[in-house]
Amino acid sequence: MSHDTLPRPARTREPGREPPAPGRRRRHWTRRANPVAGLGSIVWLAIVVIPVYAMLSASLTGQDKALTGNPLKPPTSPTLDNYSTVLHSGFGHLLSNTAIVAVAVVGIVLALCVPLAYVAVRTRDRWSNTAFRLFLLGVAIPAQAVVVPLYLLIAQLGLYDTLLAVILPTAAFAMPVSVLVLVGTLRDVSEDLYEAMALDGASPLRMLFQLTIPLAKGGISTVVIYAALQAWNGFLFPLIFTQSDGPRVLTLGLFTYVSQFGVNIPALLASVVLSGIPIFTVYLVARRALVGGLMGVGGK
């Protein structure tokens, strides 16, 4: 038998690798330049960065030069007097009140929304689904539409001009979106894990604390940031439900630099910068969890 007629050894196929279909060519994915996306990213970056730069630059400028010259030009003689004015104008009191409101709102939202989302996911009857859908109607109700009934209710409860008058409505309006995010996250938890714990004799409460909460850290982090932002940036409820300086928060403290005859623009912007640093730091720490939790909205 000649060398040309020797039988060829059969090719072994690697496990898990399917041969390409006949007549179909293998695709090679390569990165291609996208100038339109690059230009859009640059434009969006400019839209975000330029106002922030103008705010920082103006906060380092004296009051006499705030309205003169080019706002995008770096200050010729930067000064920290505006920040000193803000820090000596009761900023610490405003910051502590805002922190108390934010922590309390986050605590209430987590304590109520996590069990609500767990029941909405684990209970498959018609009443649970109907209650969940009715609960989400809160997303479509603006706060301005119910501010007068809320004012009357808070006044009758004796909570007017207290921090509770700000905390309770803020937490209530943050709950619908928080439940929606948590439901989308909890639906991604495998049903096999629940069945395994049920076979071990675990109660629903034990499943909630030992299985659901550890696997829903992304959604919980998203809810924490969302509720904290709602409390930190809230303006309507503190404006309507408080009056004295005791329960005043940062958003109302900005009025300190607005008078009948003018506005102290550099001090106002310095106050905005200082008030945004804490919540911006929280966002930087948990931004990955925030994006991951928002991607899970809707679930399976």
Side-chain angles (χ1 to χ4, degrees):
M1 184 181 294
S2 63
H3 178 71
D4 294 338
T5 59
L6 290 176
R8 296 181 180 179
R11 292 184 179 180
T12 58
R13 188 174 62 192
E14 297 179 5
R17 183 177 180 181
E18 297 294 334
R24 181 181 298 176
R25 295 182 179 179
R26 185 176 299 173
R27 295 181 179 180
H28 297 279
W29 297 100
T30 58
R31 294 185 178 181
R32 296 181 180 179
N34 192 341
V36 177
L39 180 61
S41 301
I42 294 175
V43 172
W44 178 251
L45 182 63
I47 293 174
V48 174
V49 171
I50 290 177
V52 175
Y53 166 77
M55 180 178 63
L56 292 174
S57 177
S59 66
L60 298 174
T61 306
Q63 172 68 3
D64 54 342
K65 301 179 181 179
L67 298 177
T68 60
N70 187 358
L72 298 180
K73 184 179 179 181
T76 56
S77 55
T79 177
L80 296 177
D81 293 341
N82 301 312
Y83 291 92
S84 177
T85 301
V86 172
L87 293 175
H88 289 85
S89 300
F91 182 81
H93 174 70
L94 300 175
L95 181 64
S96 62
N97 282 346
T98 307
I100 292 173
V101 171
V103 172
V105 168
V106 170
I108 293 173
V109 169
L110 289 181
L112 297 179
C113 291
V114 173
L116 282 172
Y118 177 75
V119 171
V121 172
R122 295 295 300 157
T123 306
R124 304 299 175 85
D125 56 14
R126 182 180 61 182
W127 299 108
S128 176
N129 294 331
T130 303
F132 173 66
R133 293 173 181 175
L134 289 176
F135 190 83
L136 291 183
L137 287 178
V139 178
I141 300 176
Q144 294 83 354
V146 295
V147 67
V148 175
L150 282 176
Y151 175 83
L152 297 176
L153 180 61
I154 287 175
Q156 292 179 358
L157 293 175
L159 299 178
Y160 181 76
D161 202 23
T162 63
L163 288 180
L164 277 177
V166 181
I167 292 171
L168 296 179
T170 305
F173 277 89
M175 286 178 62
V177 175
S178 301
V179 170
L180 180 63
V181 173
L182 289 173
V183 166
T185 302
L186 297 186
R187 282 176 179 170
D188 291 336
V189 180
S190 176
E191 187 70 21
D192 296 337
L193 298 177
Y194 289 110
E195 294 178 358
M197 291 198 68
L199 291 176
D200 291 339
S203 62
L205 189 62
R206 180 182 171 187
M207 292 182 188
L208 174 63
F209 285 98
Q210 294 187 0
L211 175 63
T212 305
I213 293 179
L215 293 179
K217 291 182 179 179
I220 292 175
S221 301
T222 304
V223 169
V224 168
I225 297 175
Y226 171 77
L229 284 173
Q230 295 299 308
W232 198 272
N233 298 327
F235 177 76
L236 179 63
F237 294 146
L239 178 65
I240 302 299
F241 301 146
T242 61
Q243 183 177 6
S244 63
D245 294 336
R248 180 167 293 186
V249 295
L250 283 173
T251 51
L252 289 183
L254 299 178
F255 278 113
T256 306
Y257 311 102
V258 180
S259 64
Q260 183 180 358
F261 303 100
V263 180
N264 190 349
I265 295 178
L268 178 63
L269 295 179
S271 178
V272 172
V273 172
L274 291 177
S275 62
I277 290 176
I279 198 66
F280 183 68
T281 303
V282 173
Y283 169 76
L284 288 180
V285 172
R287 64 185 185 277
R288 292 185 178 178
L290 174 64
V291 174
L294 291 177
M295 290 178 63
V297 176
K300 295 181 180 179

